[in-house]
């Protein structure tokens, strides 16, 4: 199954991704995670991406397309994949479709998770992420048992550099202007399902299972 998670930052894509991967056994490909790993390791790619990410802007299409399509040629993607945070522009979507068509594949489902802006602001500015395993928490809504410590692995929880109020505002604006047009793009293809991301996590996942099937 070839899947895409679409939705504004903070819609819960990462959280649903963990559940989808577990149930459908597809690799989780997050371009944001790939960039963060490269930043941590101080690679040339990380250095290029960081300036855009810190401002809440999109990394240039050519760079992202190369990274995403490279990752999709890896062996674990041959029976399916879950893209999270890619594509984010119509140009990226077109490049992805072209790449898949050349390999005799297509996108099966686009899962579009939507949440109102005020809720996104609350979710993102309160988000804390485990430095070690990537598990996501929220200072109010999903607090860890011990402040600053991951329940799963004991790792240190931190606030992403781009989860500050100012950067979050910009990321939501960038989503509305550059990524939202993808909804129409996939609407025309007819492979998009809309999900209410304001619902409890398990309900959102139950809706996803209805779309993808048991
Ligand atoms: P995310 O973890 O998906 O919220 O991504 C964090 C940041 O990485 C974004 O705000 C962008 O700066 C960059 N990024 C991740 N994926 C893409 C993409 N598909 N296109 C452009 N920039 C991206």
């Amino acid at each position: 199954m070839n899947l895409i998670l679409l939705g504004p930052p903070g819609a819960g894509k990462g959280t649903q991704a963990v559940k989808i991967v577990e149930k459908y056994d597809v690799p989780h490909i997050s371009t944001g995670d790939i960039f963060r790993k490269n930043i941590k390791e101080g690679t040339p790619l990380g250095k290029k991406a960081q300036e855009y990410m810190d401002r809440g802007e999109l990394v240039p299409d050519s760079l992202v397309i190369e990274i995403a399509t490279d990752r999709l040629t890896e062996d674990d993607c041959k029976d399916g994949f879950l893209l999270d945070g890619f594509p984010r522009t119509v140009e990226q979507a077109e490049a992805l479709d072209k790449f898949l068509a050349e390999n005799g594949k297509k996108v099966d489902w686009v899962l579009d998770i939507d949440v109102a802006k005020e809720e996104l602001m609350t979710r993102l500015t309160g988000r804390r992420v485990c430095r070690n395993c990537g598990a996501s928490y929220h200072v109010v809504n999903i607090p860890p048992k011990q402040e600053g410590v991951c329940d799963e692995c004991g790792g240190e929880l931190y606030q992403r550099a781009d989860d500050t109020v100012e950067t979050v505002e910009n990321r939501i604006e960038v989503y509305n202007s550059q990524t939202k047009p993808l909804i129409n793009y996939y609407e025309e293809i007819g492979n998009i399902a809309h999900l209410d991301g304001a619902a409890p996590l398990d309900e959102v996942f139950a809706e996803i299972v209805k779309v993808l099937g048991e």
Side-chain angles (χ1 to χ4, degrees), residues 31-32 36 53 57-59 64 85-86 88 92 160 171:
T31 40
R36 278 184 290 278
M53 291 174 75
E57 288 171 11
L58 294 186
V59 173
V64 190
F86 178 89
R88 257 177 158 102
Q92 291 178 20
R160 273 173 46 173
R171 288 165 66 204

Side-chain angles (χ1 to χ4, degrees), residues 4 6 10-12 19 27 29-30 37 48 56 78 88 90-91 109 124 147 151 156 177 185 199-200 204:
I4 293 176
L6 189 65
K19 291 167 170 284
I29 301 172
S30 153
K37 183 165 178 279
K48 269 190 220 161
K78 69 178 190 309
R88 257 177 158 102
V90 171
E91 190 175 337
W109 278 108
L124 287 168
E147 201 188 317
D151 291 350
E156 182 203 354
S177 62
Y185 178 88
V204 179

Side-chain angles (χ1 to χ4, degrees), residues 83-196:
L83 284 167
D84 166 7
F86 178 89
R88 257 177 158 102
T89 63
V90 171
E91 190 175 337
Q92 291 178 20
E94 286 170 349
L96 173 67
D97 280 348
K98 183 164 170 274
F99 168 84
L100 292 175
E102 281 165 7
N103 290 279
K105 295 180 186 181
K106 63 176 178 50
V107 173
D108 294 310
W109 278 108
V110 179
L111 303 165
D112 167 41
I113 310 182
D114 202 14
V115 175
K117 183 180 170 189
E118 299 68 44
E119 172 70 10
L120 295 175
M121 290 297 297
T122 312
R123 285 188 186 184
L124 287 168
T125 54
R127 174 160 74 175
R128 300 291 180 272
V129 184
C130 175
R131 231 181 249 292
N132 181 46
C133 74
S136 199
Y137 297 85
H138 187 278
V139 286
V140 179
N141 301 342
I142 324 167
K145 291 196 187 87
Q146 192 187 335
E147 201 188 317
V149 180
C150 178
D151 291 350
E152 304 292 328
C153 75
E156 182 203 354
L157 302 185
Y158 79 110
Q159 181 174 36
R160 273 173 46 173
D162 58 351
D163 277 348
T164 57
V165 175
E166 208 179 49
T167 312
V168 163
E169 286 268 4
N170 197 29
R171 288 165 66 204
I172 295 172
E173 257 180 60
V174 165
Y175 173 80
N176 285 330
S177 62
Q178 301 196 54
T179 308
K180 236 182 168 170
L182 286 183
I183 295 179
N184 267 338
Y185 178 88
Y186 290 115
E187 213 59 85
E188 279 179 18
I189 298 174
N191 58 357
I192 187 166
H194 303 285
L195 304 145
D196 175 13

Side-chain angles (χ1 to χ4, degrees), residues 192-212:
I192 187 166
H194 303 285
L195 304 145
D196 175 13
L201 298 179
D202 289 340
E203 277 178 33
V204 179
F205 186 61
E207 289 300 312
I208 291 176
V209 173
K210 271 193 210 160
V211 173
L212 302 182

